[in-house]
Amino acid sequence: MQALNIGDAATASGVSAKMIRHYEDLGLIPKPRRTPAGYRVYSEADVHTLRFVRRARDLGFSTAQISGLLSLWRDRRRPSSKVKALAEEHIRELEQKLVEMQAMKAVLEHLVHCCHGDDRPECPILESLSTEVPGTSVGAGPAKRSGSLRRAHTHG
């Protein structure tokens, strides 16, 4: 493969040019060579790394986790147990997110059930969104908020 500009690297890797620049800024991929005119030039190895990052993002790995995976991928002497441990931790995080999303879904289903969905202005969905529930804050996790919402809004 010959040297590629950012558009060609984006097409070849499935990563947008904007995200390629973002990954460079984050240090996930090295800064590319530049032409005398200042254009970025990518190699086949760069495109391969971009595909790796894209696949890791598709699996929901965080930027920090991807950085760790890239380090492990580049270290040919690394034990696979380190990779497995990182993936297992990510599975636990995904399981927690699933629990939180299921709780959010349950609250929304309850609120939708309680909403008459007619010409009346009363709407438990909007009431719930506009009501401060004690013990919740912007930083509280969805499962904590949704449990409070479920108790606070039991309209029939």
Side-chain angles (χ1 to χ4, degrees), residues 31 45 138:
K31 297 283 185 191
V138 173

Side-chain angles (χ1 to χ4, degrees), residues 16-31:
S16 71
K18 180 179 179 178
M19 288 307 295
I20 291 173
R21 289 188 292 272
H22 180 66
Y23 294 153
E24 289 170 13
D25 291 342
L26 293 175
L28 288 179
I29 62 171
K31 297 283 185 191

Side-chain angles (χ1 to χ4, degrees), residues 131-149 151:
T131 303
E132 180 67 31
V133 179
T136 63
S137 67
V138 173
K144 292 176 185 168
R145 286 194 301 268
S146 59
S148 298
L149 287 175
R151 287 189 300 278

Side-chain angles (χ1 to χ4, degrees), residues 3 14 21 34 47-48 55 58 62-63 65 69 72 86 111 120 141 148:
R21 289 188 292 272
R34 298 253 183 184
V47 170
H48 194 64
R55 288 185 197 118
D58 289 347
S62 69
T63 302
Q65 290 168 323
L69 286 167
L72 291 167
L86 201 154
L111 293 171
R120 291 181 274 188
S148 298

